[in-house]
mmCIF file of all heavy atoms in Angstrom:
data_model
loop_
_atom_site.group_PDB
_atom_site.id
_atom_site.type_symbol
_atom_site.label_atom_id
_atom_site.label_comp_id
_atom_site.label_asym_id
_atom_site.label_seq_id
_atom_site.Cartn_x
_atom_site.Cartn_y
_atom_site.Cartn_z
ATOM 1 N N LYS A 1 -10.875 1.704 2.577
ATOM 2 C CA LYS A 1 -10.203 0.922 3.629
ATOM 3 C C LYS A 1 -11.241 0.237 4.479
ATOM 4 O O LYS A 1 -11.073 -1.013 4.792
ATOM 5 C CB LYS A 1 -9.281 1.854 4.436
ATOM 6 C CG LYS A 1 -8.742 1.212 5.715
ATOM 7 C CD LYS A 1 -7.850 2.253 6.406
ATOM 8 C CE LYS A 1 -7.368 1.703 7.752
ATOM 9 N NZ LYS A 1 -8.398 1.559 8.804
ATOM 10 N N GLN A 2 -12.295 0.901 4.869
ATOM 11 C CA GLN A 2 -13.333 0.258 5.701
ATOM 12 C C GLN A 2 -14.040 -0.821 4.958
ATOM 13 O O GLN A 2 -14.501 -1.779 5.629
ATOM 14 C CB GLN A 2 -14.290 1.346 6.165
ATOM 15 C CG GLN A 2 -13.667 2.325 7.181
ATOM 16 C CD GLN A 2 -14.546 3.538 7.501
ATOM 17 O OE1 GLN A 2 -15.539 3.793 6.793
ATOM 18 N NE2 GLN A 2 -14.216 4.202 8.585
ATOM 19 N N THR A 3 -14.197 -0.696 3.646
ATOM 20 C CA THR A 3 -14.820 -1.756 2.853
ATOM 21 C C THR A 3 -13.984 -3.051 2.939
ATOM 22 O O THR A 3 -14.486 -4.166 3.171
ATOM 23 C CB THR A 3 -14.972 -1.372 1.397
ATOM 24 O OG1 THR A 3 -15.880 -0.270 1.322
ATOM 25 C CG2 THR A 3 -15.488 -2.520 0.568
ATOM 26 N N TYR A 4 -12.655 -2.945 2.800
ATOM 27 C CA TYR A 4 -11.777 -4.090 2.964
ATOM 28 C C TYR A 4 -11.962 -4.729 4.361
ATOM 29 O O TYR A 4 -12.035 -5.909 4.481
ATOM 30 C CB TYR A 4 -10.314 -3.683 2.710
ATOM 31 C CG TYR A 4 -9.947 -3.246 1.353
ATOM 32 C CD1 TYR A 4 -9.058 -2.246 1.154
ATOM 33 C CD2 TYR A 4 -10.490 -3.872 0.233
ATOM 34 C CE1 TYR A 4 -8.694 -1.826 -0.158
ATOM 35 C CE2 TYR A 4 -10.158 -3.468 -1.027
ATOM 36 C CZ TYR A 4 -9.233 -2.448 -1.221
ATOM 37 O OH TYR A 4 -8.893 -2.039 -2.484
ATOM 38 N N GLU A 5 -11.935 -3.900 5.348
ATOM 39 C CA GLU A 5 -12.036 -4.415 6.719
ATOM 40 C C GLU A 5 -13.386 -5.065 7.011
ATOM 41 O O GLU A 5 -13.475 -6.065 7.616
ATOM 42 C CB GLU A 5 -11.734 -3.286 7.696
ATOM 43 C CG GLU A 5 -10.259 -2.795 7.674
ATOM 44 C CD GLU A 5 -10.034 -1.482 8.398
ATOM 45 O OE1 GLU A 5 -10.942 -0.708 8.581
ATOM 46 O OE2 GLU A 5 -8.857 -1.304 8.829
ATOM 47 N N ARG A 6 -14.373 -4.453 6.453
ATOM 48 C CA ARG A 6 -15.748 -5.033 6.604
ATOM 49 C C ARG A 6 -15.845 -6.384 5.942
ATOM 50 O O ARG A 6 -16.582 -7.323 6.438
ATOM 51 C CB ARG A 6 -16.802 -4.088 6.041
ATOM 52 C CG ARG A 6 -18.233 -4.675 6.042
ATOM 53 C CD ARG A 6 -19.190 -3.561 5.567
ATOM 54 N NE ARG A 6 -18.861 -2.944 4.318
ATOM 55 C CZ ARG A 6 -19.148 -3.486 3.077
ATOM 56 N NH1 ARG A 6 -19.776 -4.673 3.087
ATOM 57 N NH2 ARG A 6 -18.787 -2.926 1.982
ATOM 58 N N LEU A 7 -15.075 -6.660 4.869
ATOM 59 C CA LEU A 7 -15.072 -7.888 4.181
ATOM 60 C C LEU A 7 -14.136 -8.869 4.818
ATOM 61 O O LEU A 7 -13.987 -10.011 4.327
ATOM 62 C CB LEU A 7 -14.743 -7.690 2.742
ATOM 63 C CG LEU A 7 -15.732 -6.875 1.887
ATOM 64 C CD1 LEU A 7 -15.156 -6.558 0.519
ATOM 65 C CD2 LEU A 7 -17.074 -7.637 1.776
ATOM 66 N N GLY A 8 -13.482 -8.510 5.921
ATOM 67 C CA GLY A 8 -12.677 -9.467 6.643
ATOM 68 C C GLY A 8 -11.145 -9.385 6.324
ATOM 69 O O GLY A 8 -10.391 -10.283 6.798
ATOM 70 N N HIS A 9 -10.712 -8.406 5.559
ATOM 71 C CA HIS A 9 -9.344 -8.324 5.150
ATOM 72 C C HIS A 9 -8.530 -7.464 6.147
ATOM 73 O O HIS A 9 -9.123 -6.606 6.833
ATOM 74 C CB HIS A 9 -9.189 -7.786 3.778
ATOM 75 C CG HIS A 9 -9.991 -8.559 2.779
ATOM 76 N ND1 HIS A 9 -9.835 -9.896 2.643
ATOM 77 C CD2 HIS A 9 -10.985 -8.215 1.959
ATOM 78 C CE1 HIS A 9 -10.651 -10.344 1.707
ATOM 79 N NE2 HIS A 9 -11.391 -9.311 1.291
ATOM 80 N N ARG A 10 -7.220 -7.674 6.212
ATOM 81 C CA ARG A 10 -6.347 -6.845 7.030
ATOM 82 C C ARG A 10 -5.756 -5.727 6.247
ATOM 83 O O ARG A 10 -5.279 -5.933 5.109
ATOM 84 C CB ARG A 10 -5.239 -7.777 7.652
ATOM 85 C CG ARG A 10 -4.149 -7.032 8.397
ATOM 86 C CD ARG A 10 -3.151 -7.950 8.935
ATOM 87 N NE ARG A 10 -1.958 -7.247 9.458
ATOM 88 C CZ ARG A 10 -0.935 -7.785 10.058
ATOM 89 N NH1 ARG A 10 -0.961 -9.136 10.273
ATOM 90 N NH2 ARG A 10 0.147 -7.062 10.427
ATOM 91 N N VAL A 11 -5.696 -4.544 6.826
ATOM 92 C CA VAL A 11 -5.091 -3.444 6.160
ATOM 93 C C VAL A 11 -3.980 -2.863 7.068
ATOM 94 O O VAL A 11 -4.239 -2.439 8.200
ATOM 95 C CB VAL A 11 -6.138 -2.339 5.901
ATOM 96 C CG1 VAL A 11 -5.489 -1.095 5.254
ATOM 97 C CG2 VAL A 11 -7.278 -2.843 4.989
ATOM 98 N N ASP A 12 -2.745 -2.872 6.573
ATOM 99 C CA ASP A 12 -1.619 -2.225 7.227
ATOM 100 C C ASP A 12 -1.466 -0.827 6.577
ATOM 101 O O ASP A 12 -1.872 -0.626 5.464
ATOM 102 C CB ASP A 12 -0.403 -3.065 7.026
ATOM 103 C CG ASP A 12 -0.394 -4.329 7.811
ATOM 104 O OD1 ASP A 12 -1.362 -4.572 8.550
ATOM 105 O OD2 ASP A 12 0.583 -5.084 7.731
ATOM 106 N N LEU A 13 -0.808 0.037 7.334
ATOM 107 C CA LEU A 13 -0.655 1.437 6.911
ATOM 108 C C LEU A 13 0.772 1.909 6.893
ATOM 109 O O LEU A 13 1.561 1.461 7.777
ATOM 110 C CB LEU A 13 -1.502 2.376 7.760
ATOM 111 C CG LEU A 13 -2.989 2.135 7.832
ATOM 112 C CD1 LEU A 13 -3.686 3.025 8.809
ATOM 113 C CD2 LEU A 13 -3.676 2.302 6.463
ATOM 114 N N ILE A 14 1.106 2.697 5.921
ATOM 115 C CA ILE A 14 2.402 3.385 5.919
ATOM 116 C C ILE A 14 2.187 4.871 6.064
ATOM 117 O O ILE A 14 1.161 5.369 5.585
ATOM 118 C CB ILE A 14 3.174 3.107 4.564
ATOM 119 C CG1 ILE A 14 4.562 3.669 4.621
ATOM 120 C CG2 ILE A 14 2.412 3.503 3.330
ATOM 121 C CD1 ILE A 14 5.482 3.291 3.398
ATOM 122 N N THR A 15 3.020 5.581 6.706
ATOM 123 C CA THR A 15 2.888 7.000 6.977
ATOM 124 C C THR A 15 3.081 7.802 5.751
ATOM 125 O O THR A 15 4.169 7.672 5.139
ATOM 126 C CB THR A 15 3.793 7.447 8.157
ATOM 127 O OG1 THR A 15 3.600 6.670 9.278
ATOM 128 C CG2 THR A 15 3.572 8.924 8.469
ATOM 129 N N PRO A 16 2.154 8.690 5.385
ATOM 130 C CA PRO A 16 2.375 9.493 4.134
ATOM 131 C C PRO A 16 3.400 10.579 4.379
ATOM 132 O O PRO A 16 3.611 11.038 5.509
ATOM 133 C CB PRO A 16 1.039 10.090 3.860
ATOM 134 C CG PRO A 16 0.336 10.147 5.247
ATOM 135 C CD PRO A 16 0.888 8.889 5.997
ATOM 136 N N HIS A 17 4.133 10.959 3.345
ATOM 137 C CA HIS A 17 5.087 12.018 3.365
ATOM 138 C C HIS A 17 4.494 13.309 2.736
ATOM 139 O O HIS A 17 3.970 13.269 1.639
ATOM 140 C CB HIS A 17 6.392 11.590 2.629
ATOM 141 C CG HIS A 17 7.530 12.500 2.891
ATOM 142 N ND1 HIS A 17 7.653 13.810 2.340
ATOM 143 C CD2 HIS A 17 8.678 12.326 3.620
ATOM 144 C CE1 HIS A 17 8.781 14.337 2.716
ATOM 145 N NE2 HIS A 17 9.403 13.455 3.471
ATOM 146 N N PRO A 18 4.624 14.438 3.392
ATOM 147 C CA PRO A 18 4.034 15.609 2.930
ATOM 148 C C PRO A 18 4.458 16.124 1.538
ATOM 149 O O PRO A 18 3.767 16.811 0.821
ATOM 150 C CB PRO A 18 4.296 16.722 3.933
ATOM 151 C CG PRO A 18 5.382 16.159 4.801
ATOM 152 C CD PRO A 18 5.253 14.687 4.696
ATOM 153 N N ALA A 19 5.687 15.761 1.132
ATOM 154 C CA ALA A 19 6.192 16.169 -0.128
ATOM 155 C C ALA A 19 5.939 15.205 -1.297
ATOM 156 O O ALA A 19 6.343 15.449 -2.400
ATOM 157 C CB ALA A 19 7.760 16.296 -0.042
ATOM 158 N N LEU A 20 5.150 14.161 -1.015
ATOM 159 C CA LEU A 20 4.863 13.062 -1.973
ATOM 160 C C LEU A 20 3.397 12.897 -2.091
ATOM 161 O O LEU A 20 2.793 11.988 -1.489
ATOM 162 C CB LEU A 20 5.603 11.787 -1.564
ATOM 163 C CG LEU A 20 7.100 11.882 -1.442
ATOM 164 C CD1 LEU A 20 7.663 10.569 -0.871
ATOM 165 C CD2 LEU A 20 7.745 12.122 -2.785
ATOM 166 N N PRO A 21 2.701 13.675 -2.944
ATOM 167 C CA PRO A 21 1.291 13.623 -3.014
ATOM 168 C C PRO A 21 0.713 12.377 -3.635
ATOM 169 O O PRO A 21 -0.487 12.037 -3.415
ATOM 170 C CB PRO A 21 0.927 14.899 -3.909
ATOM 171 C CG PRO A 21 2.181 15.125 -4.674
ATOM 172 C CD PRO A 21 3.316 14.765 -3.727
ATOM 173 N N ASP A 22 1.545 11.628 -4.390
ATOM 174 C CA ASP A 22 1.080 10.459 -5.008
ATOM 175 C C ASP A 22 1.396 9.144 -4.206
ATOM 176 O O ASP A 22 1.188 8.053 -4.678
ATOM 177 C CB ASP A 22 1.639 10.235 -6.442
ATOM 178 C CG ASP A 22 0.922 11.137 -7.442
ATOM 179 O OD1 ASP A 22 -0.214 11.474 -7.194
ATOM 180 O OD2 ASP A 22 1.537 11.392 -8.483
ATOM 181 N N MET A 23 1.891 9.360 -3.017
ATOM 182 C CA MET A 23 2.309 8.163 -2.215
ATOM 183 C C MET A 23 1.072 7.307 -1.822
ATOM 184 O O MET A 23 1.213 6.098 -1.464
ATOM 185 C CB MET A 23 3.012 8.663 -0.933
ATOM 186 C CG MET A 23 3.704 7.567 -0.176
ATOM 187 S SD MET A 23 4.784 8.210 1.156
ATOM 188 C CE MET A 23 5.103 6.676 2.113
ATOM 189 N N VAL A 24 -0.165 7.884 -1.929
ATOM 190 C CA VAL A 24 -1.341 7.133 -1.641
ATOM 191 C C VAL A 24 -1.445 5.975 -2.588
ATOM 192 O O VAL A 24 -2.114 4.910 -2.211
ATOM 193 C CB VAL A 24 -2.566 8.041 -1.844
ATOM 194 C CG1 VAL A 24 -2.625 8.622 -3.185
ATOM 195 C CG2 VAL A 24 -3.857 7.329 -1.566
ATOM 196 N N PHE A 25 -0.845 5.998 -3.741
ATOM 197 C CA PHE A 25 -0.972 4.905 -4.699
ATOM 198 C C PHE A 25 0.041 3.808 -4.389
ATOM 199 O O PHE A 25 1.050 3.599 -5.153
ATOM 200 C CB PHE A 25 -0.849 5.453 -6.139
ATOM 201 C CG PHE A 25 -1.930 6.524 -6.463
ATOM 202 C CD1 PHE A 25 -1.522 7.763 -6.907
ATOM 203 C CD2 PHE A 25 -3.211 6.224 -6.274
ATOM 204 C CE1 PHE A 25 -2.474 8.708 -7.156
ATOM 205 C CE2 PHE A 25 -4.198 7.169 -6.526
ATOM 206 C CZ PHE A 25 -3.825 8.440 -6.973
ATOM 207 N N ALA A 26 -0.202 3.073 -3.350
ATOM 208 C CA ALA A 26 0.701 2.147 -2.734
ATOM 209 C C ALA A 26 1.021 0.982 -3.723
ATOM 210 O O ALA A 26 2.117 0.350 -3.600
ATOM 211 C CB ALA A 26 0.158 1.585 -1.460
ATOM 212 N N ALA A 27 0.125 0.658 -4.603
ATOM 213 C CA ALA A 27 0.346 -0.479 -5.511
ATOM 214 C C ALA A 27 1.572 -0.292 -6.392
ATOM 215 O O ALA A 27 2.112 -1.294 -6.813
ATOM 216 C CB ALA A 27 -0.874 -0.670 -6.415
ATOM 217 N N ASN A 28 1.989 0.911 -6.557
ATOM 218 C CA ASN A 28 3.163 1.223 -7.436
ATOM 219 C C ASN A 28 4.521 1.006 -6.787
ATOM 220 O O ASN A 28 5.518 1.205 -7.423
ATOM 221 C CB ASN A 28 3.079 2.640 -7.992
ATOM 222 C CG ASN A 28 1.812 2.996 -8.752
ATOM 223 O OD1 ASN A 28 1.359 4.069 -8.768
ATOM 224 N ND2 ASN A 28 1.229 1.978 -9.449
ATOM 225 N N ALA A 29 4.495 0.652 -5.502
ATOM 226 C CA ALA A 29 5.700 0.790 -4.674
ATOM 227 C C ALA A 29 6.426 -0.547 -4.452
ATOM 228 O O ALA A 29 7.583 -0.569 -4.041
ATOM 229 C CB ALA A 29 5.462 1.459 -3.402
ATOM 230 N N ALA A 30 5.788 -1.696 -4.627
ATOM 231 C CA ALA A 30 6.412 -3.010 -4.422
ATOM 232 C C ALA A 30 5.502 -4.093 -4.949
ATOM 233 O O ALA A 30 4.300 -3.921 -5.047
ATOM 234 C CB ALA A 30 6.694 -3.236 -2.994
ATOM 235 N N THR A 31 6.124 -5.262 -5.265
ATOM 236 C CA THR A 31 5.346 -6.509 -5.573
ATOM 237 C C THR A 31 5.824 -7.520 -4.570
ATOM 238 O O THR A 31 7.040 -7.791 -4.394
ATOM 239 C CB THR A 31 5.718 -6.934 -6.987
ATOM 240 O OG1 THR A 31 5.427 -5.888 -7.932
ATOM 241 C CG2 THR A 31 4.867 -8.224 -7.349
ATOM 242 N N VAL A 32 4.862 -8.106 -3.867
ATOM 243 C CA VAL A 32 5.161 -9.097 -2.829
ATOM 244 C C VAL A 32 4.565 -10.445 -3.119
ATOM 245 O O VAL A 32 3.351 -10.539 -3.274
ATOM 246 C CB VAL A 32 4.678 -8.606 -1.497
ATOM 247 C CG1 VAL A 32 5.165 -9.561 -0.371
ATOM 248 C CG2 VAL A 32 5.155 -7.225 -1.171
ATOM 249 N N ILE A 33 5.425 -11.499 -3.295
ATOM 250 C CA ILE A 33 4.894 -12.891 -3.599
ATOM 251 C C ILE A 33 5.663 -13.815 -2.703
ATOM 252 O O ILE A 33 6.934 -13.746 -2.672
ATOM 253 C CB ILE A 33 5.048 -13.216 -5.035
ATOM 254 C CG1 ILE A 33 4.219 -12.324 -5.967
ATOM 255 C CG2 ILE A 33 4.636 -14.722 -5.216
ATOM 256 C CD1 ILE A 33 4.381 -12.582 -7.445
ATOM 257 N N ASP A 34 4.972 -14.628 -1.898
ATOM 258 C CA ASP A 34 5.554 -15.569 -1.006
ATOM 259 C C ASP A 34 6.531 -14.894 0.008
ATOM 260 O O ASP A 34 7.576 -15.449 0.419
ATOM 261 C CB ASP A 34 6.331 -16.713 -1.753
ATOM 262 C CG ASP A 34 5.381 -17.548 -2.531
ATOM 263 O OD1 ASP A 34 4.201 -17.678 -2.103
ATOM 264 O OD2 ASP A 34 5.790 -18.181 -3.503
ATOM 265 N N GLY A 35 6.217 -13.643 0.409
ATOM 266 C CA GLY A 35 7.055 -12.968 1.392
ATOM 267 C C GLY A 35 8.254 -12.301 0.789
ATOM 268 O O GLY A 35 9.018 -11.630 1.528
ATOM 269 N N ILE A 36 8.559 -12.515 -0.485
ATOM 270 C CA ILE A 36 9.679 -11.829 -1.135
ATOM 271 C C ILE A 36 9.163 -10.479 -1.693
ATOM 272 O O ILE A 36 8.152 -10.450 -2.372
ATOM 273 C CB ILE A 36 10.259 -12.702 -2.257
ATOM 274 C CG1 ILE A 36 10.743 -14.000 -1.721
ATOM 275 C CG2 ILE A 36 11.353 -11.988 -3.024
ATOM 276 C CD1 ILE A 36 11.150 -15.032 -2.752
ATOM 277 N N VAL A 37 9.968 -9.482 -1.477
ATOM 278 C CA VAL A 37 9.584 -8.117 -1.862
ATOM 279 C C VAL A 37 10.472 -7.634 -2.977
ATOM 280 O O VAL A 37 11.710 -7.559 -2.777
ATOM 281 C CB VAL A 37 9.650 -7.102 -0.674
ATOM 282 C CG1 VAL A 37 9.213 -5.718 -1.118
ATOM 283 C CG2 VAL A 37 8.793 -7.582 0.511
ATOM 284 N N LEU A 38 9.897 -7.296 -4.113
ATOM 285 C CA LEU A 38 10.623 -6.634 -5.146
ATOM 286 C C LEU A 38 10.142 -5.205 -5.152
ATOM 287 O O LEU A 38 8.945 -4.907 -5.427
ATOM 288 C CB LEU A 38 10.337 -7.292 -6.537
ATOM 289 C CG LEU A 38 10.907 -6.540 -7.740
ATOM 290 C CD1 LEU A 38 12.474 -6.446 -7.660
ATOM 291 C CD2 LEU A 38 10.453 -7.219 -9.038
ATOM 292 N N GLY A 39 10.994 -4.248 -4.865
ATOM 293 C CA GLY A 39 10.662 -2.873 -4.733
ATOM 294 C C GLY A 39 10.448 -2.222 -6.072
ATOM 295 O O GLY A 39 10.373 -2.844 -7.088
ATOM 296 N N ALA A 40 10.318 -0.869 -6.067
ATOM 297 C CA ALA A 40 9.970 -0.136 -7.272
ATOM 298 C C ALA A 40 11.149 0.814 -7.661
ATOM 299 O O ALA A 40 11.976 1.184 -6.801
ATOM 300 C CB ALA A 40 8.711 0.688 -7.085
ATOM 301 N N ARG A 41 11.170 1.163 -8.921
ATOM 302 C CA ARG A 41 12.042 2.203 -9.406
ATOM 303 C C ARG A 41 11.189 2.980 -10.356
ATOM 304 O O ARG A 41 10.819 2.571 -11.454
ATOM 305 C CB ARG A 41 13.253 1.641 -10.145
ATOM 306 C CG ARG A 41 14.203 2.738 -10.695
ATOM 307 C CD ARG A 41 15.385 2.157 -11.475
ATOM 308 N NE ARG A 41 16.297 1.475 -10.538
ATOM 309 C CZ ARG A 41 17.332 2.099 -9.965
ATOM 310 N NH1 ARG A 41 17.623 3.354 -10.248
ATOM 311 N NH2 ARG A 41 18.106 1.409 -9.139
ATOM 312 N N PHE A 42 10.725 4.162 -9.907
ATOM 313 C CA PHE A 42 9.801 4.968 -10.634
ATOM 314 C C PHE A 42 10.387 5.637 -11.848
ATOM 315 O O PHE A 42 11.517 6.135 -11.827
ATOM 316 C CB PHE A 42 9.104 5.992 -9.756
ATOM 317 C CG PHE A 42 8.227 5.452 -8.679
ATOM 318 C CD1 PHE A 42 8.687 5.082 -7.430
ATOM 319 C CD2 PHE A 42 6.863 5.305 -8.944
ATOM 320 C CE1 PHE A 42 7.828 4.537 -6.495
ATOM 321 C CE2 PHE A 42 5.983 4.773 -7.962
ATOM 322 C CZ PHE A 42 6.448 4.388 -6.737
#
């Protein structure tokens, strides 16, 4: 995260859930293009 910020990028955060150990892998949860969000179905 600090590497991204050092390179000038913005990082937003979502609160982790204690029962979901893989929630850290945020890339799997949505695809966002031009502000349109397509969510995930795992």
